[in-house]
Structure formats: structure tokens, C-alpha cells
């Protein structure tokens, strides 16, 4: 919504959006940390989101008790995000969309934060919508972002199907 409302474009605006999202996450996690003892009951998107962040705070607290594991998780997440950004960048280059690697890295970080909450299995369709809106921040159009997202989803399904098929064949041999 912010990408459309403010008509953001360029790396500077995307990094500002990322910063605002991180500040918002920190505020929500801080509220969750102060209310760790108090369990929120009921349904609704606000309560569900609040409980999600409460669980995140609890899990981060548990992870902080094991610094080596915490560093491994951070390192693997950073490597994964970097390869994800390269994958989006290469897809944009294949589709002949001009972009920068820095823009794709920032867009990937925003995308990964937004896709923390899963609403559908695999966020099918929702992930593509989020990706297309996030890529507005890199100066792409919604159509270009959607094309990049669908292309990446298609490649993922083909790779998973191919590797899965050979794995299944190997197991039943």
C-alpha cells in the first residue's frame, strides 16, 4: 500500500520504506516483549498478528541463550536473502528489465519481511502480488514485478518437481 500511496521509486525510497518497516517491527516486538506473560485470546487479524509477534519475541529470547546457533541462523538467512536477490536480479536481466543489484537486494529484504506472515499455503498468489508491489520501489511497474514473480515461481516449481521426481525415483528403486 505504501508503494502505491507514495509513488516510491528508486533505491533511496525503497531503503526508507525498509527502514520504516523495521521500525514498525521493532515497535510491535517491543510491545510483544512487554506482554510476554499476558496471553491474548480471541480471533481477528490484530490479535493473531499480535500473538505472532509475541511468539517471535519468545523464540528470539530462546535463540539468544544460544549465541552460536543465533549467529548461524543470521548467517544462513543473510546468505539466503542474498541469493534470493541475485535470483530476482538475474530474472530481471533475462526479461530485459533495467535494474540494479542494490535495488533488488532492498526489494528482496522488504519482500521477505512482508512474507513472514503466511495467509495461504505457500502464499500462492499473495507472494506474487507482494513482489509486484515491492518492485515498484525499484522503479519497476506492477506488471514487470508480477512477471518477475511468476517467472520465479514457475522456475521454483519446475526445479522442485524435477528434483522431487528424481528423489522419489531414487527412494523407490
Amino acid at each position: 500500500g505504501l508503494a502505491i500511496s507514495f509513488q516510491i521509486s528508486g533505491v533511496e525510497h525503497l531503503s526508507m520504506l525498509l527502514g520504516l518497516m523495521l521500525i514498525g517491527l521493532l515497535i510491535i516486538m517491543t510491545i510483544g516483549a512487554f506482554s510476554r506473560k499476558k496471553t491474548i485470546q480471541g480471533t481477528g487479524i490484530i490479535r493473531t498478528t499480535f500473538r505472532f509477534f509475541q511468539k517471535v519475541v519468545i523464540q528470539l529470547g530462546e535463540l539468544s541463550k544460544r549465541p552460536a546457533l543465533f549467529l548461524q541462523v543470521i548467517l544462513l538467512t543473510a546468505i539466503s536473502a542474498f541469493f534470493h536477490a541475485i535470483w530476482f536480479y538475474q530474472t530481471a536481466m533475462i526479461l530485459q528489465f533495467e535494474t540494479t543489484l542494490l535495488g533488488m537486494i532492498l526489494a528482496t529484504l522488504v519482500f521477505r519481511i512482508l512474507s513472514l506472515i503466511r495467509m495461504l499455503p505457500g502464499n500462492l498468489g499473495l507472494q506474487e502480488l507482494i513482489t509486484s508491489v515491492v518492485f515498484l520501489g525499484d522503479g519497476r511497474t506492477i506488471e514487470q514485478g508480477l512477471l518477475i514473480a511468476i517467472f520465479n515461481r514457475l522456475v521454483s516449481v519446475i526445479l522442485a518437481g524435477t528434483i522431487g521426481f528424481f528423489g522419489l525415483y531414487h527412494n523407490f528403486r
Side-chain angles (χ1 to χ4, degrees), residues 36 57-70:
R36 282 174 92 174
V57 168
I58 291 168
Q59 290 173 358
L60 283 174
E62 293 297 318
L63 260 178
S64 68
K65 294 176 184 173
R66 302 175 63 192
L69 179 62
F70 185 71

Side-chain angles (χ1 to χ4, degrees), residues 3-168:
I4 294 171
S5 301
F6 295 122
Q7 296 295 319
I8 62 172
S9 62
V11 173
E12 296 83 16
H13 292 99
L14 194 56
S15 59
M16 180 187 72
L17 178 62
L18 180 62
L20 288 173
M21 288 175 59
L22 289 174
I23 289 170
L25 280 174
L26 287 174
I27 290 170
I28 291 172
M29 289 175 65
T30 303
I31 292 169
F34 285 119
S35 64
R36 282 174 92 174
K37 307 273 191 250
K38 182 179 175 183
T39 305
I40 297 173
Q41 300 300 325
T43 58
I45 193 159
I46 303 284
R47 289 185 183 117
T48 303
T49 304
F50 196 72
R51 278 197 310 263
F52 170 78
F53 283 110
Q54 276 184 318
K55 290 177 184 177
V56 167
V57 168
I58 291 168
Q59 290 173 358
L60 283 174
E62 293 297 318
L63 260 178
S64 68
K65 294 176 184 173
R66 302 175 63 192
L69 179 62
F70 185 71
L71 287 175
Q72 287 176 345
V73 168
I74 295 291
L75 182 64
L76 289 175
T77 302
I79 291 170
S80 170
F82 182 70
F83 280 113
H84 202 178
I86 290 175
W87 187 13
F88 277 132
Y89 178 74
Q90 288 300 321
T91 302
M93 292 294 107
I94 289 170
L95 297 173
Q96 298 177 348
F97 300 147
E98 283 189 37
T99 189
T100 64
L101 184 57
L102 179 61
M104 284 293 159
I105 289 171
L106 291 173
T108 301
L109 291 175
V110 170
F111 164 74
R112 290 184 69 132
I113 290 170
L114 288 175
S115 63
L116 280 175
I117 299 174
R118 302 254 179 212
M119 297 180 153
L120 300 168
N123 266 354
L124 190 61
L126 191 60
Q127 181 173 334
E128 286 75 16
L129 178 66
I130 290 170
T131 305
S132 63
V133 172
V134 165
F135 283 144
L136 279 173
D138 188 43
R140 307 293 109 235
T141 64
I142 287 183
E143 293 83 10
Q144 289 173 328
L146 191 59
L147 188 58
I148 290 170
I150 290 173
F151 185 84
N152 282 347
R153 174 75 76 163
L154 181 64
V155 170
S156 294
V157 168
I158 290 171
L159 284 174
T162 304
I163 293 170
F165 175 74
F166 285 118
L168 186 64

